[in-house]
Amino acid sequence: MTATRTTSLFFKSYICLVFVFVVAPILASFIFSFNSDRFPTIPLGNFTLHWYKTIYHDKDVWDALWISVTSAISVSIIATFIGFCTAYTDYRYNFFGKSAYLALALLPPTIPLVIMGLAMLAWLSHIGMSGRWYSIIIAHVVLCTPFAMAIIRIRLAQLNSSAEAAAWNLGASEWRTMGEIIIPFSLPAIISSLCLTAAVSFDEFAVSWFVSGLNKTIPVIILEVLQGQVDPQINAIGTFVFLTSMTLVVIAQILLMTRHGKGLSHE
Amino acid sequence: MASKTSKGLTWYAATWRLPNLVWQFLFFVVPLAFLFYLSFWLVRNYRMVPGFDSVNWVKMLSKDYFWDAYYFTFCMALVATVITSCIAFPCSYGLAFKTSNATRRWAIFFLIIPFFTSYLVRIYSWQVILAENGVINAALGYLGLNPFIMLNTVVGTLVGYLTLALPLVVILQTLSLSNIDRSLIGAAENLGCGRLRVVFTVIIPLAKIGLIVGAVFCFILSFGDFVSPYYLGGSKPPTLSILIIDTTKSGQQWPRAAVVAVSMILTLLVVAFAAVTAAYRKRT
């Protein structure tokens, strides 16, 4: 009995250690953002809002924020639309070359971001579309669509497969069935996909760095500050970005857990 | 459903099928294909000229610094994969077998958080924590120990790779371990199999696919990452992704950067193919 208790205790402490490692940099950045030292160490320096004031008065940060937010919103809408179409196609149809079709939708995350960045930069500048305001949007949609597709596909898997057929038998057209059955049923997943893809786009730095040109986003600014010296401004920006992304992720998570449209699902 | 499926391509079906096909073809397949084509272009008077010449390949593949970077990147990614998988396993095992369902769900939720926090900010945080006069060395100082140099060494790079891949690997391992049929473990124990032996002869073979998928993702992420080797490892020596960035940003040598990128993709394809073959091989 004591042996099992010891092993159980061992695993619990081990899990805690792993979580400490995962959380440590996030927490440290949060704490350092209020710390007066330029090179933080223990014991900590004084409490200060200096780094927040610095970024608040920095015009570059505000410009970057505007580009980040508008890109994230556009990306989330386009990627969720494409993701929905793809998820529905996978749910409903079988056709020749379907696995290649799905590979097209799901493979982008397996390509290293540096390579995606270089490929995007090369191709977009070849067709005269690099360094424009929409370049980041184009690239991020490619990266975000797989997430949107996965989230919505999981929701559609819960839809009772005879619900659609029942609506057709009652005389509804395919389009009307889409509008009255499929979309309402997928709505929680659609909204959570909007939030998650926006969060992914908001944080992405590598591809943006390659294709953005002068239209820098917040992560690109962070990357450029990093290339200089140690600068605690990054912690202040990071904390702000973290809170934004986490709000989006928590909203998405809550929506994924809701069980709307129970009558149509399998359970 | 089947009756409607058998018809030819209707407007309705095409509407849902096309967006993915068009966008991912134009902005995913074509850019990668173009990158491959670009690796055969020429650079004359600092301008790129379309062509079909193997000169970039010959030049890059005969350079020692390319092969140094290649071996270093490959070995580091391999080491990171082994270390990450080994560190993740006891954690995933604990989450799958030693905790309640509710705890496991919360744990996975917490492990998702890092995906949505800026990787750059986390690496910057590590930079400050691991520095010679940073938090860890200050703590060691209180214990009367000498500072341990971690920044700008291989240790720093590995901490970065762990930050990048550990949460994902734990999630994938936990999911595959929780799907194991518990009665098989019970049967092995009833037949007198010791605890460790159960882990190695029953649990690991049953969860093999998930463990290998986790390892492959860890390899892909570490192999392609440029942030950790640059900001924590001090780019000593540079990895392939740093080579791509330096070559691209320093002028018009995109075709040579494309050579590096294409060799990386080929390497990843071979690794992923070998791993998938290993994952689905029947036990003998």
Side-chain angles (χ1 to χ4, degrees), chain A residues 17-263:
Chain A
L17 270 180
V18 169
F19 275 82
V20 166
F21 178 83
V22 170
V23 173
I26 302 170
L27 200 65
S29 160
F30 179 72
I31 295 170
F32 294 156
S33 73
F34 295 106
N35 184 25
S36 59
D37 296 339
R38 185 167 276 273
F39 300 96
T41 183
I42 44 176
L44 290 168
N46 301 319
F47 177 87
T48 179
L49 288 175
H50 173 75
W51 310 116
Y52 287 92
K53 283 181 191 144
T54 317
I55 59 166
Y56 182 80
H57 292 295
D58 191 337
K59 192 180 162 295
D60 288 349
V61 171
W62 284 103
D63 290 345
L65 183 65
W66 172 246
I67 293 173
S68 281
V69 169
T70 47
S71 315
I73 293 174
S74 326
V75 168
S76 67
I77 293 170
I78 304 173
T80 302
F81 171 73
I82 299 178
F84 176 82
C85 297
T86 316
Y88 179 70
T89 302
D90 178 39
Y91 165 77
R92 164 91 191 268
Y93 298 99
N94 271 317
F95 50 89
F96 177 73
K98 188 176 169 184
S99 41
Y101 177 84
L102 290 178
L104 206 59
L106 295 173
L107 276 184
T110 61
I111 305 288
L113 291 170
V114 177
I115 297 177
M116 280 305 290
L118 177 62
M120 282 288 176
L121 172 67
W123 173 240
L124 291 181
S125 36
H126 187 64
I127 56 175
M129 287 167 84
S130 83
R132 309 292 177 88
W133 60 271
Y134 50 76
S135 311
I136 294 175
I137 300 177
I138 290 178
H140 281 186
V141 167
V142 172
L143 301 177
C144 291
T145 298
F147 294 99
M149 144 85 187
I151 294 165
I152 296 168
R153 185 64 187 86
I154 290 169
R155 177 69 182 162
L156 283 176
Q158 295 166 2
L159 178 64
N160 193 326
S161 48
S162 47
E164 221 183 354
W168 298 330
N169 286 340
L170 294 169
S173 68
E174 286 182 311
W175 291 102
R176 189 156 172 219
T177 311
M178 169 58 70
E180 293 196 17
I181 305 280
I182 308 282
I183 291 180
F185 183 82
S186 319
L187 203 57
I190 291 176
I191 297 172
S192 92
S193 150
L194 286 171
C195 295
L196 288 181
T197 48
V200 170
S201 161
F202 197 70
D203 268 344
E204 203 286 324
F205 58 92
V207 177
S208 313
W209 188 41
F210 273 94
V211 301
S212 61
L214 297 171
N215 307 303
K216 290 171 192 160
T217 61
I218 293 276
V220 175
I221 294 244
I222 298 180
L223 191 65
E224 289 185 347
V225 176
L226 255 177
Q227 284 168 333
Q229 298 160 338
V230 169
D231 190 338
Q233 271 189 63
I234 291 180
N235 293 318
I237 303 179
T239 302
F240 169 75
V241 172
F242 175 72
L243 292 177
T244 315
S245 308
M246 276 331 290
T247 314
L248 292 169
V249 174
V250 169
I251 294 174
Q253 195 75 17
I254 291 170
L255 283 166
L256 282 178
M257 285 175 178
T258 51
R259 295 248 177 263
H260 288 304
K262 221 175 197 165

Side-chain angles (χ1 to χ4, degrees), chain A residues 11 14 22 25 29 41 43 85-86 88-89 92-93 101 104 114 120 123 125 203 227 230-231 242 245 249, chain B residues 4 12 16-17 20 23 26-27 29-30 87 93 114 116-117 121 124-125 133-134 138 142 220 226 231 249 254:
Chain A
F11 280 112
Y14 190 89
V22 170
S29 160
T41 183
C85 297
T86 316
Y88 179 70
T89 302
R92 164 91 191 268
Y93 298 99
Y101 177 84
L104 206 59
V114 177
M120 282 288 176
W123 173 240
S125 36
D203 268 344
Q227 284 168 333
V230 169
D231 190 338
F242 175 72
S245 308
V249 174
Chain B
K4 293 236 173 187
Y12 180 79
W16 307 111
R17 205 169 301 180
N20 170 53
W23 197 286
L26 272 184
F27 300 118
V29 176
V30 173
I87 291 183
Y93 181 87
F116 299 99
T117 58
V121 173
Y124 172 73
S125 236
N133 42 13
Y142 283 115
I220 293 177
F226 70 93
Y231 295 106
K249 299 263 168 181
W254 293 3

